[in-house]
Amino acid sequence: LRGDTQAKALDQENEDVINLVEMLFELILDDNYLPSTIQALISRLQIPIVKIALKDKDFFNRPNHPARKLLNELTRASVGWSSAQDSSRDDLLERIYDIVQQILSAENIDAHLFESLYEEFHHYVEKEGKRVRMAERRTREYEVGVAKVKFVKDLVANSLSQCIGDKAIPQVVHELL
């Protein structure tokens, strides 16, 4: 009788873990900022996440659990993503697909697998973030330069207009100015 009670308690605990993982994935799939292509890929991780959560009872108590960190990083990096014009060159989508495939094809799903994939993906996201920030900075600098050139041209044109006024000047001088 005591063993039967323990088995029921264990079954209830496992069912609770499965339900919590299901709720976690429902939140991800209900996120309007996460594109449906990415949602579909990430949703394929539900069973591996259930497996790791059942193995590691601290899964929900540790925000820094490798599987949770990877899941968070995947969703965070994907918010606002849109498919590239040339879909064969969509690096973020390819990386997420590769991660999902590695997890699904792994013989042993454990925290080390999730940790190594998290580290790799996090490094990629940081590198891409730096590249994007540099491109944004260059674009801003270019726009500031264009604005300065326009300002100076307008200033020179106004100054010349004030100096010349309504006076008639030879065409050669006008072209020179």
Side-chain angles (χ1 to χ4, degrees):
L1 186 68
R2 184 169 176 233
D4 192 38
T5 305
Q6 285 178 332
K8 284 183 181 179
L10 189 57
D11 286 344
Q12 181 61 46
E13 187 177 317
N14 289 344
E15 189 176 323
D16 290 344
V17 167
I18 292 168
N19 289 335
L20 285 172
V21 170
E22 182 181 354
M23 288 180 358
L24 173 66
F25 276 86
E26 282 177 8
L27 283 173
I28 292 170
L29 297 176
D30 286 342
D31 188 343
N32 293 330
Y33 296 108
L34 200 59
S36 59
T37 305
I38 304 291
Q39 286 177 341
L41 279 174
I42 291 175
S43 70
R44 295 179 66 200
L45 295 176
Q46 187 167 356
I47 291 174
I49 295 291
V50 165
K51 288 179 181 179
I52 196 92
L54 289 172
K55 279 184 189 177
D56 187 350
K57 298 302 179 191
D58 283 338
F59 176 81
F60 290 105
N61 296 330
R62 289 180 39 212
N64 63 344
H65 188 282
R68 288 182 62 183
K69 288 189 330 187
L70 178 62
L71 199 54
N72 287 337
E73 192 73 14
L74 290 172
T75 55
R76 189 177 308 118
S78 301
V79 168
W81 170 87
S82 63
S83 152
Q85 295 288 1
D86 179 6
S87 60
S88 66
R89 297 187 42 94
D90 201 328
D91 199 37
L92 178 66
L93 184 62
E94 286 178 26
R95 292 208 181 237
I96 293 173
Y97 178 81
D98 288 344
I99 287 170
V100 170
Q101 286 307 113
Q102 287 180 55
I103 293 170
L104 292 176
S105 64
E107 289 181 26
N108 185 24
I109 296 175
D110 61 6
H112 298 295
L113 172 65
F114 283 95
E115 185 66 39
S116 66
L117 291 172
Y118 166 77
E119 292 296 331
E120 181 183 313
F121 188 70
H122 183 70
H123 176 72
Y124 162 77
V125 168
E126 283 184 339
K127 184 176 155 188
E128 278 299 299
K130 287 178 186 176
R131 186 187 63 75
V132 166
R133 285 188 297 276
M134 185 177 287
E136 288 172 349
R137 189 184 82 228
R138 286 181 182 157
T139 301
R140 273 193 310 273
E141 289 172 355
Y142 173 79
E143 292 299 324
V144 167
V146 167
K148 285 181 180 179
V149 167
K150 183 182 179 329
F151 175 76
V152 169
K153 282 184 177 181
D154 290 346
L155 185 65
V156 168
N158 287 338
S159 296
L160 286 175
S161 178
Q162 286 179 348
C163 289
I164 297 172
D166 292 336
K167 300 177 191 166
I169 58 171
Q171 184 62 29
V172 174
V173 174
H174 187 335
E175 288 175 11
L176 179 66
L177 293 175

